[in-house]
Amino acid sequence: MRKRSIILSILFICLIVPVAYFTVVGIEYAYVPPDSNVDTKESNSFKGIRQMTSDVQEEPDHEFIQTGRKLFYEETFGNEVFFTDVMGMFDGALTLPNVASAIIKLNGQGTDNLQVQAAKSVIIGDIKVNKGDLIDTGLDVPKGALIPLGVKVRYEEGKVRAGISCAVCHSSLDDQKEVVHGIPNADLNIGLLVALATNSASYFTHTEMKNIQDFITSTDRTVKSTEGEELALPDIQRLEKYVDQEVMKWPRGGNDTTIDLINNPVQTPDVFTLGDHPYGWSGQGQLGPFKGLSAIINNAHAQNMDAVSQMTISKEILGIDKELYVAILLQNAADKRYKYDPESGESPTDFLAKIDPTPNADGVLELIESPSYPKVSFLSSVGLFASSDGYRAWEQLNSMSAFMNSLKPPKTAINNDDKILLDGKSVFNRAGCIKCHAGQYLTNNQLMSPKEIGTESSRARALNNTEKFFSSPGGLYDPETPVPLPEKPIIRELTLTAEQEKQLKRSWGHNGSDGAYKVPSLVGLFWSAPYLHDGGVAVGQNLNEEIGVNETLYKGKKADPINSLLALIDSELRQKVVKENVKNQKLKTAHVSGEGHEFWVDHTTGFTEEEQQALIMYLLTVTDQNDGSKSK
């Protein structure tokens, strides 16, 4: 009881108490796991913290990696403003006081699914949440933590705000409720959390929207376009309802991360990134520091954490005038300071300029303009880089890349004898798996077309619209460039070979390409179920009943790595998985089926059930000989 009172007092101080001093200065808190021994010995396989081409050799030092570790868990680049003030994630049924109350009830024990009492009754999509109902957030709370993993709370200007860091998706807990660096939070209910926001419409670019005109019911509320034309605003409630329905389709652990107006969530990957280049599901991260890893991290922050950052590219990429775009995002903003009133007579961009906490670049995050700005490039899908004042350009992104490259998957609890592993390795070779998943990192680092992999192409070509407003990256800022940027920053030229440019255009779906999917590393496979880029190959512990996303993730049941991997290689079981998935209209319209990668290791290709199991055990435990990266 005393322990609970102490926790309550700390939370009250951190989240609620409005002290005059902190109203001006501000306080912030994010949980950073206890120090652990991350591996730095193999970091020289990557070409350095300031790598601009693959020719530069410089090994990240321990201090730089530890800086990246800290930033990985607590750096939000100020997205508290978007998620709290614009989107209103904590203004609806989910509130910060109720989150704090739910953590208090844990009595320090931790959980991999924080259940929060609904603060009020709401209808989202086709679901009604009654006041007092428990909301399955999928948020992880480590043992002894005062806040969910990857969530940062900031108190300033008399208000409590919350934002998220890399760790909310890319670290999770073991059975003892302790942090395991780099494994995906496979049951994080991102779609539900967005839908519960009061202005989820601000995330409309991540939906299957055909035309914004479909949501205009009146011409009473208008804004002037950049060319002076009167444009009607969409109906607030109608758009909100539609976006809620769309994001609620995302399976747990899935998130739409592109702005192509196609609802195609991807399964959250692990971040055991060393040797797993090119990065991203289509291999779009190939250029710049750490073989493109820093560019992928940048995309996650600069694009996905702030829809406002897309304001300058909205006309060319989305076909929506900049003024209308900003008005749509802000017309129902949660905080009245950010709420745009079309009757004010003020243009949406002028209104935003007055309240923008980061006026030096588009968006409300801590961003800087890239050398290609306002156009996008292979380095940034929005023409912006995430970077905070007081750092050097790319310093934060590069340090997080160094940390991710230092991670190794922890040991599994699977006990195998040497014969099973040898048999499994033999099957791996004989079945031809080694053709694509070869070498130390179990990948050939190549790209495959959707036809080769046998799956739909919505994710493979998700970036093809960027070609409409695209520029060669030209170069990167000199590594010593301070932020804020000087008036004339030094730019170091980036040169591409003809082959590099060809592969980048494939992965971005340019030049009429149907896009590509990268061959992923199989390192840490035990921790990354369900499988495939859409997360559609999902089977629970009950092999007879928990088949497909509808019977697992949609019902709050985790995908079992052994059974899900069996479904990946067994034609009959996969057929059942796909059949169950396509029966659900929500999954169908979110492009989640579990189809593709039909490289069977079963009776149809001459393998026995015993050989199947040997292969599965080998794949799930192949990295067990390495020390894990679990926090202690």
Side-chain angles (χ1 to χ4, degrees):
M1 191 68 182
R2 175 177 170 77
K3 183 176 181 181
R4 179 174 176 176
S5 298
I6 293 173
I7 294 174
L8 176 59
S9 299
I10 294 173
L11 280 170
F12 187 76
I13 292 171
C14 289
L15 304 181
I16 305 299
V17 179
V19 182
Y21 172 74
F22 292 127
T23 300
V24 179
V25 177
I27 57 173
E28 57 187 34
Y29 173 71
Y31 178 79
V32 179
D35 199 8
S36 61
N37 295 320
V38 294
D39 181 24
T40 61
K41 294 180 181 179
E42 297 186 17
S43 296
N44 59 353
S45 295
F46 267 94
K47 308 303 183 184
I49 60 177
R50 298 177 185 174
Q51 172 194 337
M52 298 179 67
T53 71
S54 58
D55 299 324
V56 180
Q57 296 276 353
E58 186 175 347
E59 182 179 352
D61 59 27
H62 181 74
E63 182 179 352
F64 195 72
I65 291 172
Q66 290 302 320
T67 296
R69 173 182 172 277
K70 187 171 186 291
L71 293 172
F72 179 85
Y73 282 97
E74 66 180 19
E75 183 57 74
T76 64
F77 296 101
N79 63 43
E80 295 90 346
V81 173
F82 180 74
F83 288 117
T84 304
D85 294 332
V86 176
M87 181 181 282
M89 186 169 283
F90 308 104
D91 272 27
L94 185 71
T95 65
L96 288 176
N98 282 22
V99 170
S101 177
I103 294 174
I104 292 168
K105 292 177 182 178
L106 296 175
N107 287 316
Q109 295 306 302
T111 180
D112 60 2
N113 176 28
L114 183 66
Q115 293 185 308
V116 181
Q117 276 195 331
K120 59 183 177 182
S121 298
V122 294
I123 296 177
I124 48 172
D126 56 0
I127 296 175
K128 182 177 182 181
V129 178
N130 294 309
K131 181 179 180 179
D133 286 352
L134 290 178
I135 299 170
D136 287 328
T137 67
L139 289 167
D140 292 335
V141 181
K143 185 185 299 183
L146 305 177
I147 200 166
L149 189 67
V151 174
K152 183 178 182 179
V153 172
R154 176 182 291 175
Y155 178 81
E156 59 183 355
E157 300 176 344
K159 182 173 182 177
V160 179
R161 296 178 174 87
I164 59 176
S165 70
C166 297
V168 77
C169 292
H170 301 290
S171 280
S172 194
L173 309 180
D174 61 13
D175 291 339
Q176 287 72 48
K177 302 300 180 285
E178 294 181 350
V179 176
V180 183
H181 300 310
I183 68 173
N185 185 350
D187 56 358
L188 181 61
N189 214 340
I190 301 173
L192 174 64
L193 295 178
V194 172
L196 287 170
T198 56
N199 185 28
S200 58
S202 61
Y203 225 53
F204 79 94
T205 59
H206 299 274
T207 67
E208 196 87 1
M209 179 177 289
K210 303 303 181 186
N211 194 329
I212 194 68
Q213 298 297 318
D214 295 339
F215 299 90
I216 295 174
T217 58
S218 169
T219 57
D220 293 340
R221 301 169 65 253
T222 64
V223 296
K224 283 189 177 182
S225 72
T226 52
E227 299 177 353
E229 180 185 0
E230 290 289 337
L231 300 175
L233 278 164
D235 180 80
I236 291 176
Q237 297 306 319
R238 187 171 182 176
L239 181 59
E240 185 75 17
K241 182 178 180 180
Y242 174 77
V243 174
D244 287 349
Q245 291 173 335
E246 286 289 291
V247 298
M248 287 287 286
K249 296 174 182 177
W250 300 348
R252 297 187 186 213
N255 181 20
D256 183 280
T257 64
T258 54
I259 53 173
D260 54 350
L261 294 177
I262 300 292
N263 192 351
N264 47 15
V266 294
Q267 183 68 17
T268 301
D270 64 58
V271 289
F272 306 122
T273 51
L274 186 65
D276 196 18
H277 55 280
Y279 296 100
W281 65 90
S282 74
Q284 65 266 39
Q286 301 180 39
L287 191 63
F290 291 88
K291 296 186 178 179
L293 178 57
S294 293
I296 285 294
I297 298 172
N298 177 70
N299 189 68
H301 287 281
Q303 176 190 288
N304 297 333
M305 304 299 182
D306 177 15
V308 188
S309 70
Q310 300 144 36
M311 56 190 285
T312 296
I313 66 173
S314 63
K315 176 65 174 178
E316 288 76 10
I317 305 298
L318 302 171
I320 301 174
D321 182 82
K322 180 179 181 178
E323 297 292 346
L324 178 60
Y325 179 77
V326 173
I328 292 171
L329 299 184
L330 301 182
Q331 66 173 341
N332 193 36
D335 190 297
K336 63 180 181 181
R337 183 183 173 195
Y338 288 85
K339 192 169 186 176
Y340 174 71
D341 181 3
E343 295 184 3
S344 66
E346 191 173 23
S347 76
T349 54
D350 285 345
F351 169 76
L352 176 61
K354 293 193 308 183
I355 57 170
D356 189 352
T358 56
N360 293 326
D362 294 340
V364 294
L365 262 66
E366 296 161 1
L367 305 170
I368 58 175
E369 295 177 356
S370 73
S372 71
Y373 179 86
K375 294 186 176 182
V376 303
S377 74
F378 290 132
L379 285 171
S380 173
S381 59
V382 289
L384 302 165
F385 297 149
S387 192
S388 305
D389 289 357
Y391 286 89
R392 295 167 294 172
W394 286 82
E395 181 180 1
Q396 291 153 291
L397 300 172
N398 287 346
S399 64
M400 286 189 278
S401 290
F403 170 66
M404 292 181 189
N405 277 348
S406 73
L407 299 179
K408 288 183 177 181
K411 291 184 178 180
T412 71
I414 299 175
N415 293 318
N416 287 325
D417 59 41
D418 292 340
K419 183 180 184 305
I420 290 178
L421 295 179
L422 287 173
D423 289 347
K425 186 174 183 179
S426 174
V427 175
F428 182 79
N429 293 332
R430 288 186 286 122
C433 308
I434 197 170
K435 291 179 181 178
C436 293
H437 299 286
Q440 181 178 1
Y441 303 109
L442 300 178
T443 175
N444 61 8
N445 307 110
Q446 299 298 309
L447 303 177
M448 298 182 72
S449 71
K451 290 182 179 179
E452 288 177 287
I453 202 67
T455 190
E456 52 81 40
S457 61
S458 70
R459 294 166 185 83
R461 51 184 169 79
L463 295 169
N464 64 352
N465 276 352
T466 59
E467 193 172 10
K468 299 175 182 176
F469 198 55
F470 196 82
S471 171
S472 170
L476 280 172
Y477 294 124
D478 182 90
E480 299 302 323
T481 302
V483 178
L485 295 175
E487 186 175 343
K488 294 183 178 180
I490 297 173
I491 297 175
R492 302 298 185 187
E493 186 178 355
L494 275 173
T495 57
L496 295 178
T497 66
E499 181 60 23
Q500 285 175 320
E501 188 168 7
K502 176 183 176 182
Q503 294 305 319
L504 279 163
K505 286 181 177 179
R506 280 189 68 197
S507 61
W508 284 65
H510 289 186
N511 275 12
S513 166
D514 204 24
Y517 290 112
K518 63 166 281 188
V519 176
S521 166
L522 303 185
V523 170
L525 202 60
F526 176 84
W527 304 96
S528 57
Y531 300 117
L532 291 191
H533 55 278
D534 66 354
V537 183
V539 180
Q541 289 188 336
N542 188 327
L543 190 57
N544 296 318
E545 296 181 6
E546 298 172 356
I547 296 177
V549 173
N550 196 50
E551 298 300 323
T552 54
L553 304 180
Y554 269 180
K555 292 187 175 180
K557 298 176 182 178
K558 295 186 178 182
D560 179 77
I562 295 175
N563 290 338
S564 296
L565 193 53
L566 177 62
L568 192 69
I569 64 173
D570 188 277
S571 57
E572 291 183 2
L573 182 55
R574 178 80 76 82
Q575 186 177 22
K576 293 178 181 178
V577 169
V578 172
K579 182 179 179 180
E580 288 299 317
N581 287 341
V582 298
K583 283 190 335 186
N584 190 307
Q585 186 64 21
K586 292 181 181 179
L587 289 171
K588 184 177 181 180
T589 55
H591 303 277
V592 176
S593 67
E595 295 174 292
H597 195 276
E598 296 183 353
F599 305 118
W600 309 125
V601 185
D602 61 10
H603 68 91
T604 67
T605 52
F607 291 94
T608 66
E609 290 184 6
E610 289 75 16
E611 287 175 315
Q612 275 187 333
Q613 289 301 311
L615 174 61
I616 290 170
M617 291 300 104
Y618 168 72
L619 290 173
L620 295 181
T621 63
V622 67
T623 55
D624 273 3
Q625 66 270 23
N626 298 324
D627 290 331
S629 57
K630 184 169 62 177
S631 297
K632 290 295 184 184

